[in-house]
Structure formats: structure tokens, C-alpha cells
Amino acid sequence: MSEKPKLAVYWGASCGGCEIAVVNLHEKLLDVDAALDFMFCPCLLDTKKKDIEALPDGAIAVTLFNGALRTEENVEMAHLLRRKSQMLVAFGSCAKGGCIPALANFTTKNELLNTIYIDNPSVDNPGGVIPSGTTSFPEGDIHLPGLLWRVKHLAQEVEVDYYIPGCPPESQQIWNVIETILSGDLPPKGSTIGCGTLTVCDDCDRTKEEKRITSFRRNYEFYPDPKACLLEQGLLCMGIATRNGCGAPCTKANMPCTGCYGAPEGISDQGAKMVAALGSVMDIGDTTGLSEEAIAGRVDAFLKTIPDYAGLFYKYTLASSTLGGKVGR
Amino acid sequence: MKIGIYFCNCGSNIAEKISSEAIIAAAKTFPEQPYVTIVDFICSEDGKLQFEESLKLEQPDRVVVAACSPRDHEATFRRCLINAGMNPYLMQMVNIREQIAWVTEDPAVATEKAIGAVRGAVMRVTLQQPLEKKQLEVCPDALVIGAGPAGMKAALSLAEAGRSVVLVERTPFIGGLPVRFEELFPALECAPCMLEPLMGDLLHGDHAGNIELMTMAELVEVTGFYGNFIAKIRQKPRHVSLHECIGCGECVEACPAITMNVFNSNASERKAIDFAFAGVLPNAPFLMEEICLRYKAEECRACKDACPMGEDVVNLEEVETIVERRIGSIILATGAGLYDASQIAGMGMGTLPDVYDALQFERMLSSTGPTGGEIVTTAGNAPSSVAIIHCVGSLDDDHKPYCSGICCQYAFKFNHLITAKLPETTITHYHRELVVPGKEAHTLYKHAVKNKNSCMKRYDGIKDLAVTVDVSGQQQVSAKGDAAPADMVILCPAVIPAEGAGKLSALLDVSRDSFGFFRELHGRMDAAQSTIKGVYLAGACQEPMDTRSAMLEGMAGVGYTLAGLQPGRTLEIEPINAEVDETHCAGCRLCVSVCPYRAISFDTEHNASSINAVLCHGCGTCVAACPAGAITGHHFTNEQIMAEIEGVLK
């Protein structure tokens, strides 16, 4: 048995992108392997749940837990890994703030199941069966973990030591974190690591001017000027209200930041902050002499150029936001 | 941390709805264990004394005063803290009178609300920090832009108060528009005579030494802020020394180059070197370089040779200069102009020979004007019929939606003056709404109504009117096809901001409304202040107004300057303002455009915004807007606000 500290990478409700980001360490993986015993990762390795259960508590030095908590199984694994790990890291935006899986919180669990199993043109379900737990069919039983009534992020279920943002976290930042962990020189518990302390604007080298925005445009409508600030060009770039450290790869590729690194240091709600910021630079022209209706009309016309507020502003943080989601089961 | 709660009964105002015993009991459950003192009238002399003595005795770290609105007595209680040796910003007021006692029926509910509000204040006040006011030395002098009625009045009054004033005027003369008029409404006073004492004092009076008058000059750059502006002013060459010229006019006689005189609405000729019009002040001619033969590469020095006052009066080599002046405040008095009536179809402006706008007609009425005061048509005859059309472009959504306010009054003045000069001439007023407010304007109106030679015709929209010439050559006005002869037509176009307001607005960052007038800080409360601190608005550059209002607004600008900027005194900078944490600013520049007071600038070297504490009003807009959370609103930090909300909701 290896004497090296054990490293686990686990996934909850996730897309696998975080594992890809780990694999994107390329030859650095050899360094990881040299320093740590990379012993659990369902996407890459054969270790099973029972192997983890067999370990003494605290046997794993570090678990990088990615994905949100959607099912009872996710919750069970979160508790198991918490118990077995000295350090549990919420790895990536799903584990940190719910991310895409948590957008399901805009609807209820029952509506969701209804859409999947009953009211769906590509589904033929004459019995109206919604499988959950153990469900019997003529062909045999199927076992499915139950859905939570709403999607959670990791810290809503277990104590989390550190957070690493990103969808997925940038590979160079993963390496930075691993180096930090190996060095033992860690910031206070609860800190967000593997990122910067400013906003994406600091990583983005586009020219920024004063901002007055008359209306928003969608990406497909035009080719943005590659040098000027995308927000000033009318693209809903979340960079202003997003923690930096990614290196701004999206704006460098002429695409607006969608906010995957979450709220900047000291900001509790990324979506609300974005709304406050945009409200301040919304330019509806001179309203002198206009009636209240006419002014309201201009505001409406401006707001109509923003499609899907919640999905845009809370894409990565809904589970951890003040907004929360739809109330009800 | 020791916290003291001072609960004011406000007689029965608060006491009959909110139980002080319940507040005392609730305070015992707060983790901070504050002490509670009940006072009957804490704002009374006895109450304040009791408050101060108690503060000295108890020496709390933070204080909560549960009483009335901070609008009433926050300043009072802050002074009490100072008297007790405490920093005044370590107190939080809770408005349990207006916001709770007066508006809540049930005493039990009121008491419950009050406990919540006090708990919020206690939680907030623990996070409050001592703040210090800063002092800044200021320049008490002023820059006045525009030497019309408003600007002259302001400049002279400031000079009388001992302030140095730089008075910048774009034209070669002072007096603005009315100095070019013969008589003014409502009392038919001779305009140049009425203005002469003011202009005389300005140029040669006891306090003229405090006024630096720069005619033919314009502002080109302003930096700095309230109390410390640096203005750069372009002085164009007049080519005639204002100090040495005695205004004899010998040079005018000698000058061979001729053009049309714009100050007579191009209705008369002038020489390249000439007076703007007869009787103008300062009494000196000016040289129009674009007309002068020397600027067409010809050798000519006829004017210089003709001058009896010597070689130095006419300076043909004079060039443009830029001068720099330090001032504390700026009064904008750039005045108004008239909407171009040729933009309105059917009015005949610019196409028919005997259609005049009001300014052209004022010059015709003036004894210093192109006709020496004679009312004559282009053909040289006295008109037997005159039509005066009101509301040309005013109250009209296709042109200017506002009422210009002064036109009806000067139209009735025209009625009076035409009848005085030409008793047989008929006058028709084509009007929409009639606007003659105030205690004086009705006299001219009634005169016009009673004038047997004049009649009023109401029209609905300017499209219903047409000024035409019939086959016989007779000029006429038709209203919905009903034509009446009008040998002369006088249009009363909408009053608009004078040329150059846009440039000034960009230069000073002073915002304008959709009509182009400078925007006031508040339309009712602060109509003479612009949105930029230390930049005041006077006269028709703010909205259409008459001489009387313009002079009053000039005095308002004087009042602000005298009250705000006193020699030897420093400017107190309110510590409740916003500050950028440069280490957290990512340089998105969002805050810069959000600030209504232009207090935020961007430092490209450090790639961070910074806030000028003198200009910041502490409104908090940038704090809310900053997406990086890099701006702190002192005394209203996010932590303080959240703590208060949490306390109230607990």
C-alpha cells in the first residue's frame, strides 16, 4: 500500500467536465501521481463505493467533489466522502453554487418528473409510471435513487473546507491548488481558492470605457469588435460581476463571459449584483417631459432585450443565491 | 462593546403607542446588553443636557437614539455626542415617531415594530466607525460666462462683495439680447437706458477693478472641482485696445471693407472694423479678420493710420491667446436664441421679403438699428397691415413642446409700439394659448385687446396657417383658407438655448435636458444649480425667461458662491462618502458613468477608479453599481446595512 496521501475525485450531479479539466493537467498528472495516491475517481478508476466504505474515517487526504446534489445517492456519497476525507473541496461551480443542475430549481420536482415521464411528446407511458426507488416492471425491477425535492450545492449538506470555482475550473488553477495543498500553506477554512480576488475585467485585456448601454444584443447578431469591451458593445458579458483567475479565455475568444467563476470576493449574490450593475448603466435616453407611461415603456423596451434573466444571471449560482428558486415541491 | 439606548417619549407622541418598559425588557435579551435611558423630550434644552451628562458618565462605545426622524434632529444629537467627547458618527437614530408611533394604530404592534427597529440599530451601530470631516482650502472667486442681464448682474454683485470675477463674453459687447431692443415689456422701459447704469458700473464703477471682462472670448477647458477650478479661456483678437480706444469711430470711416452686420440681423452693412451697433458697450469697434483686406493678403492699414489716439490703439498683429484663471465657482449665463422659423413650412421665413422673426423686428424698432427705428417694409413703405404669429414652434410636438413663456408679452409690446408709430396700421394676433402671468403683464395685453386697430384670431396648429403672396403681390396670412392681408408678418419663434450651450455642456460635464437647456439640480428646490457642484445656472440658458427672472437667477448664483465659498474659510468635506478600494477594483469603469456628480475618475496608470471626496455627495449609487464590490459607502457599508436588516427581521 502506498504511503502517499490519498486523493479522490468524485462526481455528484455533473457533466464530467470537471474530470476532463483534471485530465487536462496532461503530463502534470504524473507529478500529481508522484505526490499523491490518486485512488478514487469513478470516471477514470475502478475503485468502488465499498472500497471507500472499507477505509478508516479520515483516510483520504483530499477529496475534490464536483457536481451538485440532485439525488439521494449524491447526498449519501457526500456524507461518506466527508467522513473519509481530511479535506473536502467543493470543486467547480456545481459543487460550489449548484450551476446548471440547480437551474432545475426554477421548477418543482413534481413538474420536472411530470415533464420527463408523463407530459412529453416522445414518451409513451400509458401506465403513468414515475420510477423512484425500486419500481417493478414485467422485465424486472429497476432501482433508481430518489430525487431531492430541490438541487443543493455541497455545503448545504456537509461541511466544506475549500471551494474551487469554474465550469470547469481551469487546469492551471487546479495545478495551483494541488501545489498549495502539498505546500500545506493554506488560507483559512471556507476560502475560495484557485482563483483571483478581482473580477474577470482584470484578466480581460479589452479596452474599457465609460459604460452607457442602450440595448443588448445576442451573440449571433454581429461580430463584436475584438478590442473593445463586450459589455459596451451590448453583449451581456458577466465578467464585471465574476471572480477572476480563469484568464478570461471566453472574452479572448470574442465571446462574453457567462460568469462561471461565480461572485467576486465579498459579493454574496452574483445575479443580484449583475442586475444592480446593469440597472446603473441602462441608458433609456433623456426622459425630460415624458409621461410615466412613456418612461416605463422605454424601460420595458430595454429589458426586453435581455432574454431569460434568471438563467443568465444565476446560471452558476442559483442553489447558493438569495433568489433560491421556485417555492414548492 | 458598551451600547447606550436613549429612548425619547416625545411627550405622548411616542409614549402613548410604544412601551418604554417593553424596550427595556427587550434590550436585556440583546447579546450586546445595552443600557436603556428613558428621556421625556431629548431634543429640549434639558433633554440634551441630560443626554450629554449621561454620555459623559456612562462612556458608551456606541449610542442609539430612538426618537424622531433623523431629518429633524440627527445633527442635534451628533452635536451632543461631540459635546460629550465622542465621535458623532458613532450614533444611530431610530425613527420610532414618524415611522412607527404616528402610523401604527395598535400599541402592541407599535411596540413590537419599535423593538425590531431598535434591535436593527443596535446591530448596525456596533459596526459604525468614527469618521472625521476633512477641510480643504478654497478659492472664493468666480467665473461668469455670458455678459447678458444674468451674467452682468452676477458679476457686478460678486465684485461688490469683494470677489474677483472673470466675466467671459463671446460677442464683442455686453448687455446680451435686451441691449439690442428699444423697449422692454411690461413697462415699456428703454432697454439700453435701463441697462446702462448696470453696464456702466460693470465697466467703470467703484468695483469694476474686481471684474476682468473678456469680450470675444470663450471657455476652452475646465479642470478641477468646486472651490478649485482651473479654467482656460481663449481670447480672440479684437485688434482694438479696450483700454485706450475712446470710441470716436475715425477708423470706421477710413475702413474700405464692407459686409453685412450680424448684430443688426444682417439688415444693415458694416465695415471690417466697426462697432457692433450704435451705442454699444464697451464703446470700441472690433475688427472682423475674415472681412479685413489684410487677411486677404492686401496691404491696408487705413484704420491704424486714421486713429487719433496713437499707434498702440489698433493692433493689426494681435493674435489669439489662451489665458488660465483659478476660480471657485462658475456661473453659466449663456442666454437664449430663437428657433429658426424657416424650419416651419408655410411661414415664409427666408423666402418672403416681409416676414421677420421677433429679433429682427426688435432691431427694426430700435433707434440704433438698421432703419433707425422706422417700421418699413422691404419696399420702403410703412405697412398698413401687420400680422403677429404667436407660438411659432412652441407648444408644438413637431418642434418644441414647451411654452416659451415670453412671446405673448413681447407680441403685445409690439402691438403697442406699432400703434404708437403707425396709428392707422391694423394688427392681427394669430395666437394659440395666451400666456400673460404675473401682476404686470396684463397692462399690455389689455391695451392690445382694446386697441381698435387690432384683433385676435385663435388657431389650433401651425399647419392651419400659411403666409403667402397673392397674384397682385399682396402678402397675406391665411388661417384655414380665410386669408387676410399682412404687409408685414412678425413671427414669435420658440425660445431655444443660445448657440454653444452644447459645447459648454460637454466641457463642464453639465447635463442638458432634451431641449438643450442646462438641467437644474432640482426643478423646484435648486433651479439655479446645475448637476455639477459649484456650477450655477442663471438666466435663459436654463429655460426661457425674461430679463427680470434672469437677473434674479444671476443673484441666485451669487448667493451660492457667497454662501459656499468664503475667503479664508475651508470647505468641510462630509465623511459620509464613497471610497474605492484600489486593490479590489478591476477597472471595468462602470462606476464612472453612474456617478451623477462626476466625482469618479479613472486612473489608467493604476487601472482603478478613484472618487473625489469633495465632489462625492455620498449617494451610494456607485456602491450599489460596483460589480466587484470594490466601493465602500462610508457609514452605509454593506455590512452595516445587512446587520440592520438582520436585526429588524430577527
Side-chain angles (χ1 to χ4, degrees):
Chain A
M1 186 176 260
S2 167
E3 295 299 306
K4 294 182 287 186
K6 289 183 165 47
L7 169 70
V9 174
Y10 187 71
W11 52 8
S14 77
C15 67
C18 286
E19 277 78 5
I20 303 283
V22 172
V23 173
N24 262 349
L25 286 170
H26 299 303
E27 69 276 14
K28 282 267 196 304
L29 268 177
L30 300 174
D31 297 334
V32 173
D33 184 55
L36 297 158
D37 173 17
F38 189 8
M39 44 68 74
F40 182 46
C41 182
C43 177
L44 303 170
L45 306 169
D46 238 357
T47 327
K48 301 298 182 199
K49 180 185 166 200
K50 62 178 188 323
D51 302 326
I52 303 300
E53 284 169 331
L55 293 170
D57 286 358
I60 304 171
V62 182
T63 294
L64 304 179
F65 191 107
N66 70 75
L69 308 181
R70 168 76 277 185
T71 67
E72 287 158 7
E73 185 226 5
N74 299 149
V75 172
E76 187 187 339
M77 286 304 291
H79 283 283
L80 175 65
L81 286 163
R82 172 68 277 184
R83 209 164 56 242
K84 301 295 174 189
S85 311
Q86 292 160 40
M87 183 195 292
L88 178 67
V89 179
F91 184 87
S93 302
C94 291
K96 184 173 186 291
C99 198
I100 308 294
L103 292 178
N105 290 352
F106 282 129
T107 181
T108 64
K109 174 188 161 187
N110 290 339
E111 284 167 354
L112 194 71
L113 291 173
N114 188 59
T115 303
I116 295 167
Y117 292 108
I118 312 286
D119 184 16
N120 191 317
S122 62
V123 168
D124 183 22
N125 185 357
V129 180
I130 296 180
S132 180
T134 300
T135 313
S136 296
F137 290 94
E139 298 85 353
D141 293 351
I142 63 163
H143 309 280
L144 283 175
L147 289 192
L148 305 180
W149 74 274
R150 66 192 307 153
V151 177
K152 294 177 174 181
H153 62 85
L154 187 59
Q156 284 170 324
E157 199 57 50
V158 295
E159 192 186 333
V160 169
D161 298 309
Y162 294 101
Y163 300 87
I164 300 176
C167 183
E170 286 294 315
S171 297
Q172 82 273 10
Q173 289 287 16
I174 300 173
W175 177 247
N176 289 344
V177 168
I178 287 170
E179 275 193 321
T180 307
I181 291 172
L182 291 175
S183 77
D185 187 15
L186 281 153
K189 270 197 178 187
S191 297
T192 301
I193 55 177
C195 57
T197 55
L198 297 170
T199 68
V200 173
C201 297
D202 197 57
D203 291 4
C204 168
D205 47 18
R206 286 169 183 264
T207 311
K208 287 110 187 165
E209 303 284 350
E210 285 190 35
K211 293 172 175 54
R212 299 303 301 170
I213 298 157
T214 50
S215 69
F216 286 107
R217 291 187 280 180
R218 307 286 294 274
N219 299 0
Y220 66 82
E221 292 178 53
F222 70 114
Y223 287 103
D225 176 341
K227 293 202 174 77
C229 169
L230 291 169
L231 185 63
E232 286 161 29
Q233 296 182 62
L235 284 174
L236 257 169
C237 179
M238 290 281 288
I240 54 167
T242 302
R243 187 189 283 271
N244 71 334
C246 57
C250 298
T251 68
K252 278 173 187 152
N254 227 5
M255 287 295 281
C257 166
T258 59
C260 77
Y261 267 54
E265 191 85 48
I267 301 291
S268 58
D269 191 307
Q270 184 184 25
K273 194 72 245 189
M274 191 65 190
V275 170
L278 291 182
S280 308
V281 293
M282 168 173 84
D283 185 1
I284 56 165
D286 191 341
T287 53
T288 315
L290 290 186
S291 67
E292 271 182 46
E293 292 74 31
I295 295 171
R298 286 209 196 163
V299 173
D300 284 346
F302 177 89
L303 294 179
K304 280 207 178 93
T305 64
I306 305 176
D308 183 17
Y309 301 85
L312 273 167
F313 300 142
Y314 289 97
K315 191 179 280 178
Y316 301 98
T317 57
L318 187 65
S320 61
S321 72
T322 315
L323 188 63
K326 188 168 180 174
V327 178
R329 295 179 186 238
Chain B
M1 180 175 281
K2 185 173 180 180
I3 298 174
I5 300 173
Y6 290 83
F7 181 95
C8 177
N9 280 325
C10 196
S12 59
N13 272 298
I14 291 173
E16 77 176 11
K17 288 287 177 61
I18 300 168
S19 151
S20 51
E21 290 79 25
I23 299 284
I24 295 171
K28 292 206 171 87
T29 69
F30 297 174
E32 300 83 0
Q33 290 291 307
Y35 69 86
V36 183
T37 304
I38 312 294
V39 188
D40 260 344
F41 290 100
I42 194 169
C43 67
S44 68
E45 289 308 309
D46 284 351
K48 284 189 284 186
L49 208 62
Q50 188 188 343
F51 181 36
E52 285 171 22
E53 291 307 319
S54 170
L55 290 176
K56 284 179 199 159
L57 188 74
E58 296 280 357
Q59 304 207 325
D61 299 301
R62 299 287 188 275
V63 179
V64 169
V65 178
C68 52
S69 163
R71 287 264 179 203
D72 271 4
H73 281 301
E74 189 170 52
T76 311
F77 302 139
R78 279 192 183 153
R79 275 195 297 276
C80 291
L81 261 76
I82 294 171
N83 293 341
M86 286 185 71
N87 185 289
Y89 296 95
L90 298 179
M91 175 198 70
Q92 177 67 10
M93 272 189 86
V94 195
N95 183 357
I96 58 171
R97 190 180 67 177
E98 284 89 334
Q99 290 184 349
I100 299 176
W102 284 356
V103 293
T104 312
E105 279 289 325
D106 180 355
V109 177
T111 302
E112 195 191 328
K113 278 194 208 170
I115 292 170
V118 169
R119 195 193 296 113
V122 168
M123 286 185 65
R124 178 194 212 280
V125 84
T126 57
L127 300 173
Q128 279 173 214
Q129 294 299 314
L131 300 172
E132 300 293 338
K133 288 185 175 176
K134 286 184 191 141
Q135 311 287 327
L136 185 84
E137 251 191 65
V138 296
C139 170
D141 302 328
L143 168 69
V144 179
I145 302 172
M152 291 194 301
K153 187 79 177 170
L156 184 61
S157 304
L158 284 167
E160 283 170 354
R163 304 299 174 85
S164 294
V165 183
V166 184
L167 177 58
V168 171
E169 167 58 45
R170 199 159 47 112
T171 70
F173 58 92
I174 61 173
L177 284 176
V179 82
R180 285 176 252 178
F181 303 166
E182 184 68 8
E183 288 174 22
L184 296 179
F185 71 74
L188 298 179
E189 270 180 279
C190 159
C193 318
M194 181 186 86
L195 293 172
E196 203 285 328
L198 175 60
M199 297 195 291
D201 278 353
L202 196 82
L203 294 171
H204 312 294
D206 291 344
H207 304 284
N210 287 339
I211 301 173
E212 182 186 7
L213 172 65
M214 300 174 72
T215 53
M216 303 181 72
E218 60 184 20
L219 193 65
V220 288
E221 191 190 307
V222 174
T223 51
F225 43 83
Y226 178 50
N228 283 289
F229 289 111
I230 303 286
K232 283 189 182 159
I233 301 152
R234 177 185 295 126
Q235 173 67 71
K236 291 177 193 156
R238 178 185 270 264
H239 298 286
V240 175
S241 163
L242 277 183
H243 297 291
E244 292 176 67
C245 173
I246 58 160
C248 68
E250 295 290 338
C251 55
V252 179
E253 290 299 315
C255 178
I258 291 173
T259 183
M260 298 310 287
N261 185 4
V262 67
F263 298 111
N264 267 343
S265 302
N266 291 327
S268 67
E269 290 180 338
R270 63 160 281 150
K271 300 289 186 64
I273 190 165
D274 206 335
F275 297 92
F277 47 87
V280 72
L281 287 177
N283 181 21
F286 68 99
L287 181 89
M288 291 175 74
E289 289 180 355
E290 60 274 32
I291 308 301
C292 176
L293 298 181
R294 289 176 68 83
Y295 291 85
K296 293 174 179 155
E298 289 182 43
E299 262 310 308
C300 177
R301 46 174 289 150
C303 51
K304 198 173 174 71
D305 292 340
C307 181
M309 298 307 293
E311 269 289 299
D312 300 334
V313 184
V314 178
N315 177 2
L316 295 170
E317 316 304 327
E318 196 180 5
V319 291
E320 179 180 294
T321 53
I322 302 279
V323 299
E324 203 176 279
R325 296 289 180 268
R326 178 169 175 256
I327 65 265
S329 72
I330 299 173
I331 298 176
L332 295 180
T334 50
L338 290 185
Y339 188 59
D340 179 5
S342 66
Q343 298 294 312
I344 302 175
M347 288 294 100
M349 186 75 201
T351 54
L352 298 179
D354 282 304
V355 176
Y356 302 87
D357 72 19
L359 273 182
Q360 291 170 333
F361 191 65
E362 292 279 9
R363 284 314 285 157
M364 189 186 283
L365 286 173
S366 168
S367 47
T368 67
T371 62
E374 294 285 308
I375 303 172
V376 286
T377 62
T378 319
N381 308 318
S384 57
S385 54
V386 175
I388 302 176
I389 304 180
H390 298 220
C391 292
V392 176
S394 298
L395 284 178
D396 187 335
D397 285 341
D398 293 335
H399 300 282
K400 301 290 170 187
Y402 53 85
C403 167
S404 292
I406 60 168
C407 328
C408 287
Q409 296 192 63
Y410 71 64
F412 296 133
K413 173 186 79 177
F414 289 164
N415 181 300
H416 194 289
L417 296 176
I418 293 167
T419 299
K421 288 185 192 231
L422 306 169
E424 302 307 318
T425 299
T426 62
I427 305 163
T428 309
H429 287 268
Y430 292 89
H431 67 89
R432 287 170 65 199
E433 313 311 329
L434 286 176
V435 176
V436 282
K439 62 181 182 183
E440 294 179 301
H442 63 282
T443 335
L444 283 171
Y445 166 62
K446 283 192 177 150
H447 181 274
V449 170
K450 286 181 185 154
N451 184 347
K452 63 178 172 44
N453 283 342
S454 71
C455 69
M456 306 278 187
K457 287 187 181 171
R458 193 179 186 284
Y459 70 94
D460 283 337
I462 202 82
K463 290 187 180 105
D464 295 341
L465 296 186
V467 183
T468 52
V469 172
D470 71 8
V471 281
S472 69
Q474 172 65 50
Q475 184 170 278
Q476 58 187 18
V477 176
S478 53
K480 282 199 169 168
D482 180 12
D487 294 341
M488 183 177 279
V489 173
I490 304 162
L491 306 177
C492 307
V495 177
I496 58 167
E499 198 191 323
K503 221 164 114 186
L504 264 182
S505 140
L507 213 111
L508 288 161
D509 277 330
V510 169
S511 51
R512 294 192 298 158
D513 57 31
S514 58
F515 316 126
F517 292 105
F518 293 124
R519 192 192 293 282
E520 46 290 81
L521 186 61
H522 188 284
R524 309 272 83 73
M525 306 265 292
D526 278 307
Q529 286 205 67
S530 77
T531 47
I532 299 295
K533 197 168 184 184
V535 179
Y536 307 114
L537 309 177
C541 64
Q542 182 234 325
E543 70 172 328
M545 66 176 68
D546 64 3
T547 317
R548 163 196 156 108
S549 306
M551 296 243 185
L552 286 174
E553 277 216 334
M555 287 308 292
V558 172
Y560 283 119
T561 301
L562 294 184
L565 302 173
Q566 302 206 11
R569 276 212 209 158
T570 50
L571 204 65
E572 210 162 58
I573 303 169
E574 182 55 57
I576 300 180
N577 53 25
E579 191 176 348
V580 179
D581 174 2
E582 282 191 23
T583 60
H584 263 83
C585 173
C588 74
R589 297 200 191 199
L590 192 125
C591 53
V592 179
S593 43
V594 165
C595 179
Y597 309 103
R598 290 274 152 189
I600 307 181
S601 55
F602 191 77
D603 179 351
T604 40
E605 199 180 313
H606 296 100
N607 194 41
S609 292
S610 72
I611 298 173
N612 184 317
V614 182
L615 302 180
C616 175
H617 289 219
C619 69
T621 309
C622 61
V623 182
C626 176
I631 307 183
T632 302
H634 291 303
H635 209 62
F636 289 91
T637 64
N638 289 343
E639 294 74 21
Q640 288 166 1
I641 294 169
M642 290 308 287
E644 188 169 2
I645 294 172
E646 219 174 280
V648 170
L649 298 180
K650 224 171 207 172

